[in-house]
Amino acid sequence: MNFLDKLKQFRDYEEQLKWEGTFADYLELVKKNPMIAQSAHSRVYQMIISAGVSEKDGHKHYHFFDGQIYGLDEAIERLVEEYFHPAARRLDVKKRILLLMGPVSGGKSTIVTMLKHGLEKYSWTDAGAIYAIKDCPMHEDPLHLIPPHLREEFFQETGIRIEGNLSPLNAMRLEKDYDGHIENVPVERIFLSEDKRIGIGTFSPSDPKSQDIADLTGSIDFSTIAEYGSESDPRAYRFDGELNKANRGLMEFQEMLKCDEKFLWHLLSLTQEGNFKAGRFALISADELIIAHTNETEYKTFISNKKNEALHSRMIVMPVPYNLKVSDEEKIYEKLISESDVASVHIAPHALRTAAVFSILTRLKESKSRGIDLIKKMRLYDGEIVEGYNAADIKELRHEFPDEGMSGIDPRYVINRISSAIIKKGVPSINALDILRSIKEGLDQHPSISDEDRARYVEYIALARREYDELAKSEVQKAFVYSFEESAKTLMDNYLDNVEAYCNSNKIFDPITGDEVDPDEKLMRSIEEQIGISENAKKSFREEILIRISAYARKGKRFNYKSHERLKEAIQKKLFADLKDVVKITTSSKTPDETQLKRINEVIARLVDEYGYNTTSANELLKYVGSLLNR
């Protein structure tokens, strides 16, 4: 199907979804599906959960935010469970402004953008269908037509509560055009759209002296006063402010706390009573979710001003900190790069991870109570197993600093430095060292970094490089082993045979001589010493391995060298130690002989085919690891 055919197909689909009828027809739809009449807050919540919810370790993950938001699962869970869910149930929370507060480039705007775009798409579905009084500039809820004295009876019959009063314009239309017969008022299905200003609005502060309150609440159309005779005639009023147009959906208040006070006070009655004052009319009802965002500095300034207490009490403040997981930070960079013009540039494996390690280190706070260094803390937060620590320790660490993640290096800075590295190097391939070098150079140009922080960040760059050095050596050594997994399995099987014999005080069968011999103590110790197992601790370590094997067997799971983190580390280090001299000689030779050259070409081919490098980055990796091994 070509593009023009797809356009025609969409137009046909659009026509198919359109609906128009009388209020009487609409009531029949509501009786069949009461969710049609849900509030704006409920619609947002239903939209989020309709995308799917999964649960792990007692925490919920909302799939609506997948692909755009990374590493903010806890903040998102709190946002949904403490605001959207209770607001959808008409609890008092719905009478509050939702304020997302966090550092720059932390994901606040992305969350709001996703909600706006999500609502647009959701309004095209059966579950998210929205109906409004036809030709109403505020897309008013048709149920507002039902007189207040009949609403309790309507609730008893349908279970639907009606909140809000008919707007001045529709009240006049009802009397003048339909003689008070609400059943004849036309109703249509609407589709939310920020571009068309239907149910989604955005308000951004500008110069307080020049910005007019009409931007929020609409204004008088002076050209029609002569026709209608009065400024208080609703037909002479333009209901085109952001609060008017965002009715039935969501309004984003950008940098809300930078606004002039006169704009903020208009939100007081809207949040508490669901209405606002405009022109010379009675209060105008509006059903909309107001979501604002600001940074921590602006927020602290705002709450320190006593004049803002009334507004502050009508806010639900949701902290949105930086992501604190290396693996998720890497995904953020991948997403930002994929959206840029440098997406075609080859970025060597572990380059983005190394940048992510640096970023996360700048956001973490050193623990005082646990005696744990930042690298271990970073690994624990990323879900890695760190010997001597468990889930309870991670929970304790997270509660030690409630504001952890509210400061540090933002993702945009790192992406800017990656872009700079690509342009500066001038080749279609960059590696971790190029990125770290660019990050370090950029620190001097960063206006908001203090000298103290700059010195600390340089230390974190060194830590990130050390982490990369270990990854680089491991990668090359794996590539030198023709079949690493097979070699690791063979070594582990040999070790386990000897451990089992040792723990059970048995002999072991020698397949070459056919004799029964004592367990190979030299082999077992050569592996255990790789991870610092002392002579005194060897027995308990070996017994621990057998217990783990037994536990796996009871669960019907297969034990391999990766099933025990410390055994895995020991096996890897033993294999690499045996291979180190070969790697060192081959990679550092300035004039490799024919055998060395053949091996180098094989390793490069393996790095390209199996590890994600290209020829340039693979060659650079080999040279760098060679220099490391020669130090």
Side-chain angles (χ1 to χ4, degrees):
M1 185 183 295
N2 63 39
F3 184 69
L4 293 177
D5 287 337
K6 288 182 179 178
L7 284 175
K8 182 179 181 305
Q9 187 184 58
F10 178 74
R11 281 197 303 271
D12 293 341
Y13 175 66
E14 192 175 20
E15 285 298 320
Q16 189 180 348
L17 287 184
K18 284 181 180 177
W19 183 92
E20 188 175 324
T22 64
F23 180 72
D25 298 328
Y26 172 69
L27 274 186
E28 291 303 313
L29 291 180
V30 170
K31 287 174 182 176
K32 290 178 184 175
N33 181 14
M35 288 302 286
I36 288 173
Q38 66 186 320
S39 67
H41 291 80
S42 175
R43 191 171 292 109
V44 171
Y45 176 67
Q46 294 299 330
M47 171 190 73
I48 291 171
I49 64 171
S50 68
V53 185
S54 57
E55 196 164 339
K56 184 180 179 183
D57 299 328
H59 290 284
K60 291 181 178 178
H61 174 79
Y62 294 90
H63 296 286
F64 174 82
F65 299 94
D66 288 355
Q68 292 292 322
I69 300 290
Y70 298 99
L72 295 181
D73 280 1
E74 288 186 21
I76 294 294
E77 182 182 24
R78 186 179 171 197
L79 177 63
V80 176
E81 293 301 310
E82 294 185 20
Y83 184 80
F84 290 130
H85 192 183
R89 302 292 294 273
R90 297 182 184 271
L91 292 170
D92 213 46
V93 170
K94 79 185 289 285
K95 298 178 180 179
R96 307 287 182 269
I97 298 167
L98 174 60
L99 179 66
L100 304 181
M101 186 268 293
V104 295
S105 191
K108 304 184 298 296
S109 298
T110 304
I111 290 172
V112 178
T113 301
M114 289 191 75
L115 291 173
K116 291 197 291 188
H117 290 173
L119 273 175
E120 289 181 344
K121 293 178 182 176
Y122 192 59
S123 68
W124 286 80
T125 67
D126 291 340
I130 309 174
Y131 297 82
I133 297 173
K134 190 179 180 186
D135 299 326
C136 171
M138 286 184 59
H139 323 294
E140 188 167 8
D141 185 349
L143 293 182
H144 284 183
L145 290 162
I146 296 177
H149 66 276
L150 294 177
R151 291 184 178 183
E152 182 60 32
E153 191 176 327
F154 183 78
F155 171 69
Q156 297 299 331
E157 185 181 332
T158 63
I160 297 170
R161 290 194 182 277
I162 303 171
E163 296 178 348
N165 298 314
L166 199 60
S167 67
L169 179 61
N170 285 323
M172 176 178 280
R173 288 174 61 197
L174 177 61
E175 294 304 318
K176 287 185 176 290
D177 299 342
Y178 302 102
D179 295 324
H181 294 92
I182 66 172
E183 65 271 20
N184 295 330
V185 175
V187 174
E188 64 180 347
R189 180 173 179 179
I190 62 170
F191 303 96
L192 302 189
S193 169
E194 184 171 20
D195 293 339
K196 296 178 181 178
R197 302 189 75 208
I198 301 174
I200 296 177
T202 302
F203 185 83
S204 183
S206 59
D207 181 7
K209 294 178 182 178
S210 62
Q211 192 160 30
D212 193 346
I213 197 69
D215 293 345
L216 265 187
T217 61
S219 61
I220 297 168
D221 186 352
F222 290 100
S223 65
T224 61
I225 291 178
E227 180 183 352
Y228 298 119
S230 170
E231 289 183 15
S232 60
D233 190 309
R235 292 170 297 181
Y237 196 85
R238 291 196 297 258
F239 293 89
D240 60 355
E242 292 304 317
L243 292 180
N244 306 106
K245 293 299 183 181
N247 186 36
R248 311 300 301 285
L250 177 153
M251 191 190 83
E252 176 188 9
F253 222 122
Q254 295 179 348
E255 299 299 336
M256 175 182 167
L257 304 185
K258 291 180 181 176
C259 275
D260 189 73
E261 288 179 6
K262 64 183 179 183
F263 293 93
L264 298 180
W265 294 124
H266 263 278
L267 303 178
L268 286 175
S269 68
L270 177 59
T271 52
Q272 191 63 36
E273 308 298 336
N275 50 45
F276 63 93
K277 183 71 175 161
R280 298 177 181 180
F281 308 116
L283 292 169
I284 297 174
S285 297
D287 172 29
E288 57 196 81
L289 186 156
I290 298 178
I291 183 167
H293 44 89
T294 190
N295 60 53
E296 194 172 13
T297 305
E298 292 283 346
Y299 176 68
K300 286 180 178 177
T301 303
F302 174 78
I303 60 174
S304 65
N305 188 341
K306 293 291 183 182
K307 290 195 299 181
N308 296 327
E309 284 183 355
L311 190 60
H312 183 233
S313 69
R314 288 170 171 82
M315 289 179 179
I316 294 288
V317 181
M318 288 290 172
V320 182
Y322 284 131
N323 157 57
L324 295 177
K325 294 181 179 180
V326 171
S327 55
D328 284 327
E329 188 74 9
E330 196 175 353
K331 290 173 186 174
I332 294 172
Y333 299 154
E334 287 170 355
K335 184 193 84 168
L336 293 174
I337 288 171
S338 69
E339 296 168 352
S340 72
D341 291 336
V342 299
S344 60
V345 175
H346 174 77
I347 298 176
H350 312 303
L352 296 183
R353 177 181 170 78
T354 303
V357 167
F358 163 74
S359 297
I360 300 302
L361 288 174
T362 68
R363 301 168 190 170
L364 295 178
K365 296 192 175 185
E366 293 192 38
S367 175
K368 297 173 184 176
S369 60
R370 292 288 304 154
I372 183 173
D373 63 46
L374 283 183
I375 292 292
K376 284 182 180 176
K377 187 177 185 180
M378 175 191 77
R379 288 177 176 160
L380 282 170
Y381 277 13
D382 203 33
E384 292 185 39
I385 296 172
V386 177
E387 200 71 27
Y389 297 91
N390 54 36
D393 296 320
I394 299 173
K395 191 174 181 180
E396 184 182 326
L397 286 169
R398 290 190 182 280
H399 284 95
E400 187 177 2
F401 300 104
D403 63 339
E404 191 169 48
M406 297 298 280
S407 61
I409 289 291
D410 65 280
R412 286 198 192 111
Y413 170 78
V414 175
I415 290 299
N416 291 343
R417 299 317 304 167
I418 291 173
S419 302
S420 176
I422 290 169
I423 293 166
K424 190 172 182 180
K425 195 172 181 185
V427 294
S429 175
I430 61 168
N431 57 40
L433 298 179
D434 297 324
I435 294 175
L436 287 180
R437 197 177 296 116
S438 182
I439 288 173
K440 188 174 182 180
E441 290 170 356
L443 291 177
D444 293 329
Q445 304 161 22
H446 203 299
S448 61
I449 296 179
S450 65
D451 291 340
E452 184 183 347
D453 283 341
R454 189 174 289 109
R456 193 161 47 89
Y457 291 170
V458 169
E459 289 179 17
Y460 295 154
I461 289 173
L463 281 177
R465 179 168 177 173
R466 264 181 249 158
E467 288 290 295
Y468 172 69
D469 288 351
E470 293 305 312
L471 279 171
K473 285 189 283 188
S474 172
E475 200 98 297
V476 169
Q477 288 169 330
K478 282 182 184 178
F480 264 87
V481 178
Y482 181 72
S483 177
F484 176 82
E485 294 293 326
E486 193 60 36
S487 300
K489 183 179 181 303
T490 302
L491 184 58
M492 184 201 72
D493 288 343
N494 198 356
Y495 174 74
L496 293 180
D497 286 343
N498 283 278
V499 164
E500 188 176 4
Y502 169 85
C503 291
N504 294 328
S505 302
N506 290 335
K507 299 281 187 179
I508 196 167
F509 178 75
D510 189 324
I512 299 174
T513 64
D515 297 331
E516 285 190 339
V517 295
D518 290 328
D520 191 341
E521 186 66 22
K522 187 176 179 182
L523 170 71
M524 290 186 286
R525 291 302 294 143
S526 70
I527 292 172
E528 292 157 356
E529 285 170 352
Q530 299 295 329
I531 51 171
I533 302 294
S534 67
E535 184 70 27
N536 292 333
K538 69 180 183 183
K539 187 173 186 293
S540 59
F541 179 74
R542 293 169 188 176
E543 288 172 345
E544 179 192 324
I545 297 292
L546 287 187
I547 291 170
R548 181 72 62 87
I549 293 171
S550 175
Y552 267 62
R554 284 199 309 273
K555 295 175 184 177
K557 294 165 67 177
R558 187 177 181 82
F559 185 90
N560 60 42
Y561 84 98
K562 295 179 182 177
S563 302
H564 189 285
E565 191 64 27
R566 297 195 74 198
L567 178 59
K568 171 189 168 183
E569 184 184 352
I571 295 287
Q572 287 181 340
K573 285 187 173 180
K574 171 61 177 168
L575 282 174
F576 297 160
D578 293 344
L579 195 67
K580 186 175 179 180
D581 289 339
V582 176
V583 176
K584 182 177 176 181
I585 293 167
T586 307
T587 55
S588 60
S589 177
K590 292 182 180 179
T591 54
D593 58 31
E594 189 177 336
T595 304
Q596 290 173 334
L597 195 59
K598 182 181 178 184
R599 175 164 266 178
I600 287 173
N601 289 334
E602 287 176 350
V603 169
I604 288 174
R606 198 165 294 119
L607 286 170
V608 171
D609 296 339
E610 299 177 21
Y611 294 88
Y613 291 83
N614 67 4
T615 307
T616 303
S617 59
N619 270 297
E620 289 174 343
L621 178 72
L622 283 181
K623 289 177 184 176
Y624 180 63
V625 170
S627 69
L628 287 177
L629 295 175
N630 273 313
R631 287 176 189 172

